[in-house]
Amino acid sequence: MDIQAIATQCKDAAILMSALSTDIKDKALKNIIKALETNMDLIIDANKNDLEQARKDNLDAPLLKRLKFDQPKISEACDGIASLIKLEDPVGKTLSATELDKGLTLFKVSRPIGVIGVIFESRPDALVQIAALCLKSGNAVLLKGGSEASATNQILASVISKAGVDTGLPEGWLGLLETRSDVDQMLKLEKYVDLIIPRGSNEFVRYIMDNTVIPVLGHADGICHLYIDRLADPKMAVDLSVDSKCQYVAVCNATETILVHEALAKDILPVLKKELEAKGVKIYGCEKTGDIIDVEAATEKDWQTEYLDLIVSIKVVPSLKEAVAHINRYGSGHTDVIVTSDKKRALYFMDHTDTADAFWNCSSRFSDGFRFGLGAEVGISTNKIHARGPVGLEGLMIYQWRMIGDGHMVKDYTGEAAKPFTHKSLNKDF
């Protein structure tokens, strides 16, 4: 496979993608839904082959859950695309307009980034989401999924790419990379790839960052916390803990550590243990937790672990400040929750916790592009560049400065007789 040829075609396609009308893009998305539904049996058969091989290779249970792509998941992916169609086209929006002088106007207009390279884990639904988001935002995309999902990814990429081209998208708007060496080659193609989004472990993201000069939108581990404050409603706290941990464990927004204020610990921990164990959750606890309920002792490593399984660590803390300090030390900056009835304490938590998503009295599982109303997400960014948290359409946009004049020259605005700039904000579109 000639990766540079694929990237070159993708780069050429990106120029055309950036200028597509909303109508063509939405028609392409509708056709992709139709193609996924028409080819559902073929997709499921390919996925069954991947699952069978993954079991032979003893793939971990959480990854097997992510790998499965059956009829309900395909339908859910189609629903995500349908919601994306309803969203406003993010391309060509006037972000600001400024009069520099009479007849000289400066516009800041949203534009696609270009070619997005996305390397993701064993979730075929991620391929569908990413391709749809890039299409709607006018970007071309290079995709590399996990090798364990190779058969599923191949048919999905083929079906989606063809459905797009059949409705007016340029050839090569979607490219699929298949091997680790393909990724290493892509990392060297800074002339063709504008942004890389790796979805995986901290080590994996660090490897990508260390081996490319292409900008990287890092999605690190999802070490999410739920803190039960001393002013929390006990039932709400237990319910949210169970939902945050158990609703779906094999995802980055599932809670891995529960922090409990010592004032509530004796009352709430026995109830929390009962509810979690009823769901099959294994609990590791700090020394104070172990003094109240019978659990295995937590180690330093537990506070740093993204389990992606029915496992949780619990720590009793003496104060809100200590809870925040623990999160800032061990968290990955993904999603962190406080359960409290006190607004001031909730605001302190949000203001002082270094996290992309700070939630008050709701499950960590809400941290998701679809649930945020972004249509879907290309990933969740835990770093601090142009996009943070769930990255939807806006996170795949950049902007272009556009100036309109009438023969204006810089020489008239310099020297002793220089004309002044007005720099007046305008309420007008380009």
Side-chain angles (χ1 to χ4, degrees):
M1 180 185 292
D2 188 341
I3 303 304
Q4 185 163 331
I6 294 173
T8 300
Q9 188 178 33
C10 208
K11 185 72 171 179
D12 291 341
I15 301 299
L16 301 176
M17 290 287 290
S18 71
L20 288 176
S21 69
T22 303
D23 185 54
I24 289 176
K25 290 188 287 188
D26 286 346
K27 282 182 179 178
L29 289 170
K30 290 175 184 176
N31 202 40
I32 288 171
I33 293 174
K34 182 180 178 182
L36 289 172
E37 291 172 345
T38 301
N39 291 279
M40 187 176 293
D41 290 342
L42 291 175
I43 296 167
I44 291 173
D45 286 344
N47 186 247
K48 285 178 179 177
N49 291 335
D50 282 333
L51 284 167
E52 184 179 349
Q53 184 60 48
R55 292 188 186 99
K56 290 179 181 178
D57 295 338
N58 297 313
L59 193 70
D60 291 342
L63 292 179
L64 278 173
K65 288 182 181 179
R66 292 184 177 205
L67 177 57
K68 188 174 183 181
F69 199 53
D70 53 9
Q71 188 273 327
K73 285 192 175 181
I74 295 172
S75 296
E76 185 177 344
C78 290
D79 289 343
I81 298 174
S83 69
L84 200 57
I85 294 169
K86 297 175 184 177
L87 295 180
E88 183 181 2
D89 191 335
V91 181
K93 294 174 66 175
T94 298
L95 305 176
S96 68
T98 306
E99 178 195 86
L100 304 188
D101 194 8
K102 186 177 180 180
L104 184 63
T105 310
L106 177 67
F107 296 88
K108 185 179 181 182
V109 180
S110 63
R111 299 292 296 156
I113 289 173
V115 176
I116 313 292
V118 188
I119 311 160
F120 57 97
E121 71 290 353
S122 59
R123 286 177 56 187
D125 58 316
L127 186 151
V128 179
Q129 287 183 6
I130 293 162
L133 279 166
C134 287
L135 194 169
K136 180 79 175 188
S137 59
N139 290 286
V141 61
L142 290 172
L143 296 165
K144 170 61 175 75
S147 58
E148 64 278 1
S150 60
T152 314
N153 289 338
Q154 285 171 14
I155 189 167
L156 283 174
S158 176
V159 166
I160 292 171
S161 177
K162 183 178 184 302
V165 172
D166 287 347
T167 43
L169 303 193
E171 291 279 356
W173 74 274
L174 184 155
L176 181 68
L177 310 183
E178 298 185 16
T179 68
R180 177 65 179 268
S181 63
D182 290 347
V183 174
D184 288 334
Q185 290 182 61
M186 181 176 70
L187 298 181
K188 299 178 176 68
L189 299 177
E190 65 272 11
K191 291 183 179 179
Y192 306 94
V193 181
D194 298 293
L195 179 70
I196 291 180
I197 304 177
R199 295 175 52 155
S201 66
N202 274 316
E203 292 78 14
F204 173 68
V205 173
R206 176 52 54 192
Y207 173 84
I208 298 297
M209 289 178 172
D210 289 345
N211 287 276
T212 188
V213 296
I214 301 169
V216 177
L217 188 70
H219 172 202
D221 285 344
I223 303 177
C224 303
H225 298 78
L226 183 142
Y227 165 58
I228 301 174
D229 184 49
R230 64 179 175 83
L231 297 179
D233 175 88
K235 184 179 186 307
M236 180 190 292
V238 171
D239 288 346
L240 291 179
S241 297
V242 172
D243 190 80
S244 295
K245 175 71 257 183
C246 305
Q247 195 275 329
Y248 187 50
V249 297
V251 284
C252 58
N253 59 14
T255 290
E256 308 294 10
T257 298
I258 299 171
L259 304 172
V260 183
H261 194 287
E262 62 183 12
L264 283 184
K266 288 184 180 179
D267 292 330
I268 210 165
L269 285 178
V271 181
L272 185 59
K273 178 177 186 287
K274 179 182 177 181
E275 294 298 322
L276 287 171
E277 290 185 341
K279 296 285 189 178
V281 177
K282 182 178 181 63
I283 302 172
Y284 293 96
C286 68
E287 185 176 347
K288 289 183 179 179
T289 301
D291 290 341
I292 299 170
I293 55 176
D294 182 22
V295 294
E296 287 196 31
T299 64
E300 179 74 7
K301 186 178 180 181
D302 285 303
W303 313 128
Q304 306 168 32
T305 300
E306 182 183 22
Y307 298 112
L308 296 172
D309 204 351
L310 288 168
I311 306 170
V312 72
S313 55
I314 297 179
K315 183 177 183 179
V316 175
V317 293
S319 67
L320 168 59
K321 289 184 178 181
E322 285 297 318
V324 169
H326 179 97
I327 293 170
N328 288 340
R329 179 177 179 183
Y330 295 104
S332 60
H334 190 298
T335 301
D336 298 286
V337 178
I338 181 172
V339 186
T340 185
S341 61
D342 187 272
K343 183 177 181 179
K344 287 184 179 179
R345 294 175 70 81
L347 289 177
Y348 179 92
F349 179 90
M350 292 178 168
D351 288 343
H352 291 83
T353 303
D354 187 10
T355 187
D357 303 302
F359 292 174
W360 174 21
N361 289 349
C362 50
S363 171
S364 65
R365 288 281 290 116
F366 280 108
S367 177
D368 174 84
F370 177 71
R371 296 187 180 104
F372 275 21
L374 307 180
E377 68 186 38
V378 71
I380 292 184
S381 170
T382 54
N383 52 9
K384 301 173 183 177
I385 53 175
H386 77 286
R388 198 174 189 209
V391 180
L393 294 175
E394 288 187 9
L396 295 177
M397 305 304 297
I398 193 64
Y399 52 82
Q400 180 182 62
W401 294 103
R402 296 181 173 182
M403 190 181 295
I404 302 175
D406 187 20
H408 290 75
M409 295 182 289
V410 168
K411 70 175 186 177
D412 296 328
Y413 298 86
T414 59
E416 292 183 3
K419 294 178 64 177
F421 290 108
T422 58
H423 289 148
K424 178 183 176 182
S425 293
L426 302 175
N427 184 20
K428 63 185 295 187
D429 291 332
F430 180 80

